[in-house]
């Protein structure tokens, strides 16, 4: 899968852009605008509400959950076409 870009609002309503690179099954690396990796997320295939983050993840949990939701939305759009 090609890398893609998402926009996610933080808890103050400010939009932030992230570059996403798919790795192995259900794993995604998250990059900021400077293209430095700020975390990796693994989405639970059985229950999309659950995910694991890398130990060096620099994203707080509410924002990470929003990123997860946007990744799932992007995957839905890609696989429906």
């Amino acid at each position: 899968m090609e890398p893609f870009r998402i926009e996610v609002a933080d808890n103050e309503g400010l939009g932030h852009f992230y570059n996403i690179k798919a790795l192995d099954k259900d794993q995604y690396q998250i990059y900021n605008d400077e293209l430095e990796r700020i975390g990796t997320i693994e989405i639970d295939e059985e229950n999309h509400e659950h995910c694991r983050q890398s130990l060096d993840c620099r994203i707080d949990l509410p924002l990470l959950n929003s990123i997860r939701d946007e990744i799932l939305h992007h995957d839905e759009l890609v696989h429906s076409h």
Side-chain angles (χ1 to χ4, degrees), residues 61-72:
L61 192 55
L63 188 56
L64 190 65
N65 286 335
S66 295
I67 290 171
R68 178 204 64 218
D69 292 344
E70 284 301 311
I71 289 171
L72 290 170

Side-chain angles (χ1 to χ4, degrees), residues 1-60:
M1 177 185 283
E2 291 290 317
F4 57 96
R5 189 168 168 86
I6 59 172
E7 182 179 16
V8 178
D10 63 18
N11 59 354
E12 297 174 4
L14 299 174
H16 300 277
F17 289 96
Y18 297 97
N19 298 293
I20 308 296
K21 179 181 176 187
L23 300 175
D24 294 334
K25 186 177 181 181
D26 298 319
Q27 289 186 359
Y28 301 86
Q29 287 185 331
I30 305 163
Y31 295 86
N32 62 15
D33 278 335
E34 290 77 37
L35 297 180
E36 63 180 336
R37 187 178 64 78
I38 56 174
T40 302
I41 185 172
E42 181 179 354
I43 299 171
D44 184 340
E45 192 171 307
E46 299 296 318
N47 183 352
H48 290 167
E49 294 297 313
H50 294 114
C51 64
R52 282 187 282 186
Q53 67 189 48
S54 58
L55 292 176
D56 63 344
C57 189
R58 295 184 273 160
I59 305 167
D60 64 18

